Amino acid sequence: MAQTTFHWDSCAITNVGKVRKINEDAVLDNNEASLWVVADGMGGHAAGDVASSSIVNALREIRPSEDLPALITEVEEVILAVNRDLIRQANERVDRQTMGSTIAALLAHGDHCFCLWAGDSRVYRLRGDEFKRITVDHSKVQDLVDEGIIDEEDAESHPEANVITRAVGANDELFVDMDIFDVKDGDIYLVCSDGLFKELRESEIAEIMAGKPPEQSGQELVDLTLDRGSRDNVTVIVIHAHANKPS
């Protein structure tokens, strides 16, 4: 059986929010390479906007390839190179403060998607009525959830909800989590920073994403976040998968 191929519609929106003065989020919406990235500069650290922009600018150079394993390796190596460079820059600073950023990336290839992440920016999938978070946060509260100390529902309101345990630029050794999965016609993917799910419940996100083009649902997600007070920068990429008809 021939492999199903897909074409993609996507829309990326980023907003500084209602509280922050600087937008430390950076976003890459690259349909040509079927690569979508959200990077969230670490709040409270020096030059988070430089860190997130460094990730996006480096991944902007990725080009399409028929060789998926080689492509995955290239993406990972680019991120590790940025990690090394951010640590070098931090060590050259007088205050030696960390320059760090989360990353969540989605790469489409044929009838599969590859997901890569570090930190608490997320990737979701809406398939029919099933809304699934694909990434697992690298955060203090996620560790507490995994250990059964707190419930998932209590995580966002926990006093340590902003503490992440992994990020690009934070440590010499960076371990990036990865997942690969099949794509179905009609899948809708969301790549976002934590500024979105700090304000909106996952059920609300899924409801807004269903049955609307990426431009509309992306804008509605950001607008509702702003209506709720948007305590952080907010960035979303909404991505629709469409199966190509056999020629």
Side-chain angles (χ1 to χ4, degrees):
M1 182 180 295
Q3 182 188 66
T4 302
T5 60
F6 291 82
H7 63 278
W8 302 83
D9 293 328
S10 61
C11 177
I13 302 173
T14 186
N15 191 288
V16 69
K18 295 286 191 176
V19 176
R20 301 291 177 88
K21 300 299 183 184
I22 297 174
N23 192 347
E24 293 184 317
D25 287 0
V27 62
L28 176 62
D29 180 10
N30 187 347
N31 258 7
E32 179 187 359
S34 300
L35 176 62
W36 302 273
V37 181
V38 168
D40 179 359
M42 292 164 61
H45 289 274
D49 55 329
V50 173
S52 58
S53 296
S54 296
I55 294 169
V56 164
N57 289 336
L59 290 173
R60 202 183 304 277
E61 302 303 315
I62 297 289
R63 293 293 176 261
S65 171
E66 295 299 319
D67 187 341
L68 179 58
L71 192 57
I72 292 171
T73 298
E74 182 182 6
V75 170
E76 183 183 19
E77 288 180 348
V78 166
I79 294 169
L80 294 178
V82 173
N83 185 71
R84 291 190 295 270
D85 188 58
L86 290 174
I87 290 172
R88 177 191 59 78
Q89 291 185 57
N91 288 336
E92 291 174 354
R93 293 174 61 97
V94 174
D95 55 16
R96 298 176 70 88
Q97 287 192 353
T98 298
M99 302 172 66
S101 174
T102 71
I103 180 175
L106 183 70
L107 174 66
H109 191 279
D111 58 356
H112 286 82
C113 271
F114 169 73
C115 182
L116 179 151
W117 72 97
D120 62 354
S121 292
R122 294 178 178 176
V123 178
Y124 291 94
R125 181 183 66 208
L126 180 62
R127 176 175 289 173
D129 295 329
E130 181 193 19
F131 189 58
K132 177 181 179 181
R133 190 205 311 177
I134 295 171
T135 54
V136 178
D137 294 348
H138 302 128
S139 67
K140 183 65 176 293
V141 293
Q142 185 63 54
D143 290 345
L144 295 175
V145 170
D146 293 343
E147 293 167 9
I149 297 173
I150 63 173
D151 295 329
E152 189 81 45
E153 295 75 22
D154 300 325
E156 297 306 329
S157 60
H158 192 276
E160 295 182 290
N162 290 329
V163 179
I164 60 174
T165 56
R166 199 180 306 182
V168 182
N171 298 103
D172 290 335
E173 293 288 332
L174 173 63
F175 298 97
V176 182
D177 275 356
M178 305 179 191
D179 194 10
I180 189 167
F181 44 89
D182 65 327
V183 179
K184 301 293 186 184
D185 186 29
D187 279 355
I188 303 174
Y189 295 90
L190 171 68
V191 188
C192 65
S193 62
D194 66 338
L196 180 72
F197 53 83
K198 282 179 180 176
E199 310 296 349
L200 307 186
R201 296 186 300 274
E202 290 187 354
S203 58
E204 295 177 306
I205 296 171
E207 183 178 355
I208 290 172
M209 287 173 60
K212 300 169 185 174
E215 295 80 4
Q216 181 180 351
S217 58
Q219 192 62 60
E220 288 186 14
L221 287 170
V222 172
D223 288 346
L224 184 55
T225 303
L226 295 172
D227 289 344
R228 298 277 174 85
S230 195
R231 295 163 289 172
D232 199 354
N233 311 142
V234 56
T235 301
V236 303
I237 315 174
V238 182
I239 308 146
H240 286 207
H242 305 284
N244 292 319
K245 296 179 179 179
S247 55

